[in-house]
Amino acid sequence: GAKGSESDAFIKKLEPDVIYVMDRGIFSFKCLEELHKHGSHYVVRLKANIPFDPHQQRPLSAKDAAHGVVSDCTGYFPGSRNHKAPHLLVREIVIVDPARPGNHAIRLITDLLELPAHIIGLLYQQRWQIELFFRWLKVHNHFAHMVTHSREGVHFVFYVMTIALLLHTLLHGRPPSKYDVLVYQMAFMDGATDRGMMAGLARLEREKELARQRYARKKAMKKLT
């Protein structure tokens, strides 16, 4: 809800034997305690202003260094006057992101003490696949308006349209256009599509493909000259 806590909503849905990969916005000491109680693990990005008390520095392997890991240590959160930290042994891994200027460092906290540091970094990197999928839904699938406001209806429309648009991408090798989405929406709402519209879409797609080919040839000619 608008006035609810994201951390509290997350805690209510915790499951055992899961590795949760989370961004810094959902971090809280309460979350770490509940994850420990549920027997689950976590990889969490840590905000720069949250203090950490390192007790033991761990050696870095060649693979760790190749993946940008600059520090790997175990220790505890000291907490603060207003926020009491749980006395849990955790691991802080600092990774420098080469894709961002200025040697931008990412701090990760995890209770996975046995895995190599670069594997922890790769686990966090996988979280971005979910972010990219959401972007794909917003940008290419044009989910701007819903045809229903009921929870069940939203779920149904979401899954049907996502399956249709994923199949479209696999079949045509390109993201669906807004016209493709319109046709699928009409088919979903009415159970049928207009043949004239389908022919028009096919013609429009041929024209766009020819334009892409002309642009590719022009770009190749510029490289030659």
Side-chain angles (χ1 to χ4, degrees):
K3 297 182 180 180
S5 166
E6 190 173 5
S7 296
D8 290 342
F10 167 68
I11 289 171
K12 291 178 182 179
K13 297 186 177 182
L14 288 179
E15 300 177 8
D17 301 319
V18 174
I19 298 176
Y20 287 96
V21 184
M22 301 174 286
D23 200 13
R24 51 193 167 182
I26 203 171
F27 173 85
S28 72
F29 292 141
K30 184 179 179 181
C31 277
L32 298 191
E33 288 182 304
E34 292 297 329
L35 284 162
H36 181 72
K37 291 177 183 178
H38 280 77
S40 283
H41 302 284
Y42 50 87
V43 176
V44 189
R45 185 175 178 184
L46 200 62
K47 293 181 179 179
N49 62 347
I50 297 180
F52 177 76
D53 186 10
H55 282 213
Q56 181 180 3
Q57 191 75 29
R58 298 160 64 108
L60 300 178
S61 68
K63 282 189 175 180
D64 294 336
H67 283 78
V69 180
V70 296
S71 175
D72 180 8
C73 57
T74 54
Y76 300 88
F77 287 108
S80 64
R81 181 181 301 177
N82 299 324
H83 298 90
K84 183 179 179 182
H87 190 70
L88 299 172
L89 181 66
V90 293
R91 183 180 178 189
E92 182 197 53
I93 298 172
V94 180
I95 302 176
V96 173
D97 184 1
R100 299 186 63 177
N103 293 327
H104 182 76
I106 296 175
R107 299 173 68 202
L108 300 179
I109 288 293
T110 182
D111 64 339
L112 296 166
L113 304 180
E114 304 301 326
L115 288 180
H118 69 277
I119 297 296
I120 300 297
L122 290 175
L123 280 173
Y124 182 77
Q125 190 178 39
Q126 290 303 306
R127 191 188 72 85
W128 280 104
Q129 297 304 313
I130 301 172
E131 298 286 352
L132 292 174
F133 180 67
F134 284 144
R135 183 180 184 278
W136 182 81
L137 288 175
K138 293 176 181 178
V139 174
H140 296 300
N141 292 0
H142 310 281
F143 280 113
H145 303 285
M146 304 303 294
V147 296
T148 176
H149 290 152
S150 72
R151 186 179 183 87
E152 295 77 11
V154 168
H155 281 172
F156 184 70
V157 171
F158 175 82
Y159 286 119
V160 169
M161 289 298 296
T162 299
I163 291 170
L165 297 172
L166 284 171
L167 289 174
H168 175 101
T169 303
L170 291 172
L171 179 64
H172 297 283
R174 60 172 177 79
S177 68
K178 60 182 179 181
Y179 304 108
D180 296 320
V181 175
L182 177 61
V183 170
Y184 292 132
Q185 288 176 339
M186 290 179 61
F188 174 72
M189 295 291 291
D190 303 328
T193 55
D194 181 78
R195 290 185 179 181
M197 178 179 287
M198 295 298 292
L201 282 174
R203 184 174 63 255
L204 178 63
E205 185 53 40
R206 285 195 300 271
E207 292 173 356
K208 290 170 64 177
E209 179 59 31
L210 290 173
R212 284 192 288 265
Q213 293 176 6
R214 288 194 297 270
Y215 176 77
R217 288 194 297 268
K218 187 181 295 185
K219 191 174 181 180
M221 289 298 293
K222 283 186 178 181
K223 287 184 177 180
L224 291 175
T225 57

